[in-house]
């Protein structure tokens, strides 16, 4: 049996003990699954992904989930960012990483969820180990492009102002964006409108009554970008605007963009809208809703997930099965190997 570590938010520790680790999507893989790393002799290398994962949005604090898989279990192994990682077995992945001179940045991908019986224990870990951005980033200037920059992070604006390229700088002032918005609408320039909405997505807030007029724009791409731009705003009236966009009967892509944008928006209006979209006639919209329902985990969300588990479309059923299906194990006899307060050092003895 091969032993791995999966790093997960501490708020999910109880759920992982009950139902295992859910399979999440991976941008460069067609299937959902779980990222793992072998347990090595070095504590720092085993938990090298701590600081990189901790800098991303979401709950603070991570725990280490020790997972034991059969040696013949099929996984992929490679360095992060590889489009075609090596397909091997769990034992082969452990052997491959142990043979490396520098295993930093390597990862193992299990293309399925981790069952409750495969979780050995969940324990707290020190949060100061590992690298950020990339293994050799220490001593080099951080990248401040839109993809790498953490909005609101201490010192992020100062770093952005040092860059000569304006597209890597801070978000444009409100007056400049309003002037560009007026000019783009006057010229009916869809590309310019999309660029302005991209900048509004980088700002914490914007003039909602002014951008709300774009909800009736004839180009669906503009309406999709509008949903993504305002979904993270706390301005009163955002939920009403998102509902107006979700009522777009002419284009399912707009409704799907709304479903994806409100997945992590925690407001009563977003909860009600997500529930309505779960009954959308287009299966692509229902598929996009699943992630938000799993995130909420309320009795209403569970009822909708139960309904979607029997959806006529296979893609929707697969999404529910991968993201939420492991909760069906809750209530079964506990595996004697899963102990909440077990000391891993004592187990080695």
């Amino acid at each position: 049996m091969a032993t791995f570590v999966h790093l997960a938010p501490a708020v999910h520790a109880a759920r992982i003990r009950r139902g295992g680790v859910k399979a999440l999507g991976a941008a460069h893989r067609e299937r959902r699954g779980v990222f793992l790393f072998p347990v090595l002799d070095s504590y720092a290398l085993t938990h090298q992904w701590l600081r990189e994962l901790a800098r991303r949005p979401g709950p603070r604090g991570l725990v280490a989930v020790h997972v034991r898989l059969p040696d013949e279990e099929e996984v992929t192994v490679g360095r992060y960012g590889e489009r075609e990682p090596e397909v091997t077995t769990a034992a082969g992945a452990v052997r491959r990483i142990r043979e490396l001179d520098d295993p930093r940045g390597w990862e193992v991908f299990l293309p399925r969820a981790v069952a409750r019986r495969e979780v050995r224990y969940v324990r707290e870990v020190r949060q100061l180990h590992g690298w950020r951005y990339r293994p050799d980033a220490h001593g080099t200037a951080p990248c401040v492009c839109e993809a790498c920059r953490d909005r609101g992070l201490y010192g992020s604006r100062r770093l952005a102002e040092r860059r000569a390229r304006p597209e890597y700088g801070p978000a444009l002032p409100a007056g400049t964006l309003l002037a560009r918005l007026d000019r783009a609408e006057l010229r009916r320039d869809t590309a310019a409108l999309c660029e302005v909405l991209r900048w509004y997505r980088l700002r914490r807030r914007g003039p909602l009554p002014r951008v709300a007029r774009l909800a009736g724009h004839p180009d669906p791409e503009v309406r999709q970008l509008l949903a993504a731009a305002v979904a993270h705003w706390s301005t009163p009236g955002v939920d009403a605007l998102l509902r107006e966009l979700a009522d777009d009967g002419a284009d399912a892509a707009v409704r799907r963009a709304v479903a994806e944008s409100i997945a992590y928006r925690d407001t009563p209006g977003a909860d009600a809208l997500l529930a309505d979209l779960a009954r959308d006639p287009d299966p692509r919209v229902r598929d996009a809703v699943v992630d938000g329902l799993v995130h909420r985990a309320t009795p209403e969300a569970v009822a909708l997930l139960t309904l979607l588990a029997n959806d006529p479309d296979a893609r929707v059923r697969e999404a529910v099965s991968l993201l939420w299906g492991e909760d069906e194990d809750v209530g079964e006899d506990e595996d004697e190997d899963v102990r909440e307060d077990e000391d891993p050092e004592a187990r080695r003895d």
Side-chain angles (χ1 to χ4, degrees):
M1 302 287 283
T3 305
F4 298 87
V5 165
H6 170 74
L7 299 176
V11 296
H12 298 161
R15 189 183 70 184
I16 290 173
R17 292 186 179 105
R18 294 195 306 268
V21 184
K22 298 182 182 299
L24 299 179
H28 57 290
R29 291 175 172 85
E30 296 180 356
R31 293 181 292 178
R32 293 183 171 94
V34 179
F35 286 100
L36 306 167
F37 193 84
V39 175
L40 304 180
D41 296 334
S42 170
Y43 182 94
L45 289 177
T46 301
H47 304 88
Q48 61 172 284
W49 286 91
L50 272 169
R51 295 183 70 201
E52 171 65 11
L53 295 177
R55 74 179 182 86
R56 299 181 181 182
R60 311 308 300 171
L62 298 171
V63 294
V65 182
H66 282 242
V67 176
R68 181 166 290 182
L69 301 177
D71 289 342
E72 65 277 7
E73 180 75 38
E74 183 177 298
V75 298
T76 61
V77 60
R79 208 167 187 271
Y80 71 95
E82 287 188 0
R83 293 294 176 179
E84 297 182 359
E86 176 186 348
V87 178
T88 182
T89 62
V94 173
R95 183 165 53 251
R96 177 78 173 90
I97 291 180
R98 284 184 178 274
E99 293 173 351
L100 296 171
D101 294 332
D102 184 6
R104 293 180 303 167
W106 282 67
E107 59 191 9
V108 177
F109 183 74
L110 174 68
R112 64 170 177 84
V114 175
R116 179 176 59 84
R117 63 181 178 275
E118 295 173 324
V119 177
R120 300 294 291 175
Y121 47 82
V122 181
R123 63 182 179 84
E124 297 181 355
V125 289
R126 297 189 293 273
Q127 307 291 312
L128 301 178
H129 286 277
W131 44 268
R132 289 190 301 170
Y133 306 108
R134 61 182 187 277
D136 297 320
H138 185 68
T140 61
C143 177
V144 291
C145 71
E146 180 183 345
C148 299
R149 180 184 172 198
D150 289 327
R151 182 174 51 199
L153 189 68
Y154 176 79
S156 62
R157 182 180 181 88
R158 180 184 59 190
L159 289 172
E161 289 174 346
R162 294 177 181 176
R163 294 302 194 210
R165 298 177 63 180
E167 64 269 27
Y168 286 175
L172 298 175
T176 302
L177 285 177
L178 284 174
R180 291 188 178 184
L181 182 62
D182 292 337
R183 187 165 59 250
E185 284 190 301
L186 182 63
R187 297 177 177 177
R188 298 181 180 179
D189 189 343
T190 302
L193 279 177
C194 293
E195 180 65 15
V196 171
L197 289 174
R198 185 185 74 85
W199 280 112
Y200 271 124
R201 184 168 57 86
L202 299 177
R203 297 183 61 87
R204 294 185 176 179
R205 293 187 184 182
L208 185 65
R210 180 64 187 83
V211 300
R213 299 190 323 204
L214 298 177
H217 195 277
D219 193 314
E221 183 181 2
V222 173
R223 302 197 297 275
Q224 293 176 50
L225 290 174
L226 176 61
V230 304
H232 67 278
W233 294 358
S234 59
T235 309
V238 169
D239 287 333
L241 175 58
L242 290 171
R243 178 164 289 278
E244 180 182 354
L245 292 169
D247 291 337
D248 192 328
D251 200 310
V254 179
R255 302 197 301 274
R256 177 168 185 170
V258 174
E260 292 173 344
S261 300
I262 66 174
Y264 298 95
R265 180 175 175 82
D266 296 324
T267 63
D271 295 344
L273 180 55
L274 201 64
D276 292 342
L277 291 173
R279 301 179 176 89
D280 192 273
D282 193 294
R284 295 172 298 175
V285 179
R286 301 196 299 272
D287 177 70
V289 164
V290 174
D291 194 21
L293 292 176
V294 172
H295 169 69
R296 280 157 173 77
T298 60
E300 295 79 6
V302 171
L304 290 171
L305 287 169
T306 304
L307 181 66
L308 293 174
N310 300 310
D311 193 89
D313 190 271
R315 292 173 299 179
V316 180
R317 296 196 303 270
E318 180 185 6
V320 176
S321 175
L322 290 174
L323 292 175
W324 182 69
E326 287 299 316
D327 280 351
E328 295 176 356
D329 293 335
V330 178
E332 297 180 356
D333 295 336
E334 288 193 2
D335 191 296
E336 62 180 2
D337 289 335
V338 181
R339 303 186 177 92
E340 293 185 13
D341 300 322
E342 182 177 4
D343 185 358
E345 297 296 334
R347 174 176 289 275
R348 295 194 186 99
D349 297 334

